[in-house]
Amino acid sequence: MGLGKPPRLKQEQRVAAGFVDGYDLVMTGSLLVLAKQPLHLTPDQVRFLAVASTMMIVVGGFLASAISDHYSRKTIMLIGVAGITLFTLLLTLVQTGEQLIIVRLLTGLAGGFAVFAPFPIAAELMPARHRRTFAAVYEMALACSFAVLPFVGFLLAGNPNAFRLMALPGGLAFFVIPALIYFLIPESPRWYLRRGHTEAAIDTVNQMIRSAGSRVPSLTVAALGDNLQTAREELPPYRALFRRGQLRWTAIGISSYVFVGTAFFLISVLLPKALVDQGAAVTVSFGVSSLVFTASIPGKGFTGFLMEIIGRRWTIFYALAASLPGLFMMMMAHRAGSYATVLMVTGALLTGFTALSAATAFRVYLSEQFPTALRGRGHAFGESTGRVFSGVLAPFLMAPHTGSATIFFGTILAVVTIGAFIPLWLGRETVGQLETVTEGSPAPA
């Protein structure tokens, strides 16, 4: 939009928000184990709880998709984070399975506003070379929260109030994180320009320049030149996501997410339950889950490093294809006799470092499928649609079959095998100019 490449920003606030969001939203896998006995959850309640939060993330995501780009993306993120932390705090008060499900439904609804916002914001505020850095750091913060959750579950196993104590840290963040977002994260200057608020856009850029140490001159109205915009620019309609020239990239983003997301959600939601159902102790199930996500912390950093070297598509291929040996080890561990633990731990570490680290590349890749005017709506729509299959249908259908290592891990193995080739066969590389998203142009977006 003419503001050029903004200076690199401090990302601590968004990373802190990512850690809290991840902690609160991916608590489902631990709740399935820790809340089952204290709240006397029925099998049907357990099955519905497995998908309740993600199902409402989809609903919230579609709502956010409808209003994003019309309203501030910062506002969308603020509403989501405040809602997630507030409803997580309410988990400490639930007394029945029905109340637990209702609270998780509300948490998911708020999550639909929060989980999609960081990447469109980052795509707007950063040059391409810094998007991969942000994606890696943000996803590593998420991975830290994913690893902390099962570790906390391991420490609290046996305590009837374990799930309430687990929810307390994420809930208390309600009094801190929303305030940090409101005061410290800037709006998108491009968003201000599209609404005809030129002075606000310039003030925001200059604030960013000052926060980065004033290493470049301050922006002025004159510096905008022909890009000066004083009238509000009309946004393209929502149906533009499906027009010729854009439909292909919308479909590529969604189809890629389905396979990457299915592997993630089956592991994050059902792995502790699967290991318990397959005969492991509760502490062992939490230990293995913690190892998977701990391995994804350096894995996501490495994936972010690869993104600018081999591109988004080949990085996604690497992350999924390289996970096949690890998933095969986890699938065969129950047949390894005295080596079962070694095989399971090794497989978990390999899978965490690879498949669970794919989101670093994929979520940037998804945001880069859309021009600025569609990015907020497009990214939210893409993730929401993908989660219908990967985060709702897949865990719901697999929950009754977690007792079979062959079915559970074999399904994940098949999913990542197919998903590894989707961007290579059907997609294109997206490192470069964000606004070039048309069927007829071969230039990368």
Side-chain angles (χ1 to χ4, degrees):
M1 294 292 295
L3 293 179
K5 294 183 178 180
R8 189 175 183 177
L9 300 175
K10 294 181 179 180
Q11 300 304 325
E12 290 85 351
Q13 294 79 32
R14 262 172 282 180
V15 170
F19 181 89
V20 172
D21 289 352
Y23 186 96
D24 293 352
L25 291 174
V26 190
M27 199 177 294
T28 300
S30 300
L31 291 174
L32 292 177
V33 176
L34 296 178
K36 182 177 181 179
Q37 292 300 327
L39 298 183
H40 308 291
L41 300 179
T42 67
D44 287 341
Q45 287 177 326
V46 169
R47 192 179 186 189
F48 187 69
L49 182 62
V51 300
S53 178
T54 304
M55 180 175 65
M56 292 306 291
I57 287 177
V58 171
V59 175
F62 282 128
L63 292 176
S65 175
I67 65 176
S68 188
D69 297 320
H70 293 279
Y71 296 93
S72 159
R73 292 168 191 172
K74 175 180 173 180
T75 300
I76 299 296
M77 184 176 182
L78 182 60
I79 292 171
V81 172
I84 289 172
T85 51
L86 175 61
F87 295 127
T88 299
L89 187 60
L90 293 181
L91 276 178
T92 61
L93 304 177
V94 300
Q95 300 297 321
T96 66
E98 290 80 3
Q99 292 175 1
L100 176 62
I101 290 174
I102 290 171
V103 170
R104 291 304 288 171
L105 288 171
L106 293 172
T107 305
L109 182 64
F113 284 76
V115 298
F116 312 125
F119 287 87
I121 291 174
E124 292 295 312
L125 297 181
M126 296 179 183
R129 66 181 181 275
H130 291 327
R131 284 178 224 136
R132 64 93 178 257
T133 304
F134 168 78
V137 173
Y138 186 86
E139 288 291 337
M140 288 171 71
L142 288 176
C144 287
S145 67
F146 301 159
V148 165
L149 269 171
F151 180 71
V152 173
F154 171 83
L155 296 177
L156 296 175
N159 188 323
N161 290 309
F163 73 93
R164 296 187 177 92
L165 295 174
M166 177 179 287
L168 193 59
L172 291 176
F174 171 74
F175 301 102
V176 178
I177 300 300
L180 290 178
I181 293 174
Y182 181 80
F183 288 108
L184 298 178
I185 294 182
E187 289 287 3
S188 165
R190 289 187 180 94
W191 184 79
Y192 277 134
L193 274 186
R194 293 192 66 88
R195 297 176 66 86
H197 300 162
T198 305
E199 291 295 336
I202 291 174
D203 289 344
T204 300
V205 171
N206 288 333
Q207 176 188 347
M208 293 156 55
I209 291 173
R210 289 191 297 271
S211 70
S214 299
R215 288 174 289 182
V216 297
S218 296
L219 185 69
T220 63
V221 174
L224 288 176
D226 295 337
N227 292 302
L228 180 62
Q229 184 172 329
T230 58
R232 177 169 178 166
E233 181 179 341
E234 290 297 323
L235 289 172
Y238 199 91
R239 62 179 178 274
L241 291 171
F242 316 107
R243 285 177 177 170
R244 176 177 174 80
Q246 179 59 53
L247 177 60
R248 176 180 175 181
W249 314 123
T250 301
I252 291 296
I254 293 171
S255 60
S256 298
Y257 187 92
V258 168
F259 292 97
V260 175
T262 296
F264 170 80
F265 283 110
L266 289 181
I267 291 173
S268 66
V269 174
L270 294 179
L271 182 59
K273 179 180 182 298
L275 294 179
V276 170
D277 291 347
Q278 292 165 25
V282 172
T283 53
V284 172
S285 71
F286 280 128
V288 173
S289 298
S290 185
L291 282 176
V292 168
F293 289 111
T294 298
S296 73
I297 298 172
K300 289 185 175 185
F302 182 67
T303 301
F305 170 76
L306 284 182
M307 284 168 58
E308 297 302 315
I309 297 177
I310 63 176
R312 306 335 188 198
R313 296 185 306 155
W314 281 104
T315 299
I316 295 171
F317 173 81
Y318 144 77
L320 297 183
S323 71
L324 298 179
L327 288 167
F328 184 77
M329 290 181 188
M330 296 177 79
M331 182 175 67
M332 301 303 296
H334 67 290
R335 300 183 180 181
S338 59
Y339 294 99
T341 301
V342 174
L343 211 60
M344 178 62 72
V345 168
T346 303
L349 292 174
L350 287 174
T351 301
F353 191 83
T354 53
L356 267 64
S357 302
T360 300
F362 169 74
R363 298 182 82 183
V364 173
Y365 184 71
L366 175 60
S367 272
E368 291 177 343
Q369 303 297 316
F370 307 99
T372 293
L374 287 172
R375 185 162 299 116
R377 288 171 289 172
H379 188 107
F381 177 81
E383 281 210 35
S384 296
T385 305
R387 283 176 188 246
V388 171
F389 300 96
S390 62
V392 179
L393 289 179
F396 185 79
L397 295 174
M398 285 298 299
H401 307 291
T402 52
S404 169
T406 302
I407 294 177
F408 181 71
F409 292 111
T411 299
I412 301 174
L413 192 149
V415 165
V416 299
T417 300
I418 299 171
F421 292 95
I422 294 296
L424 294 183
W425 285 338
L426 304 175
R428 65 173 179 180
E429 193 50 63
T430 58
V431 180
Q433 172 53 247
L434 285 173
E435 303 308 314
T436 308
V437 186
T438 59
E439 186 78 35
S441 175

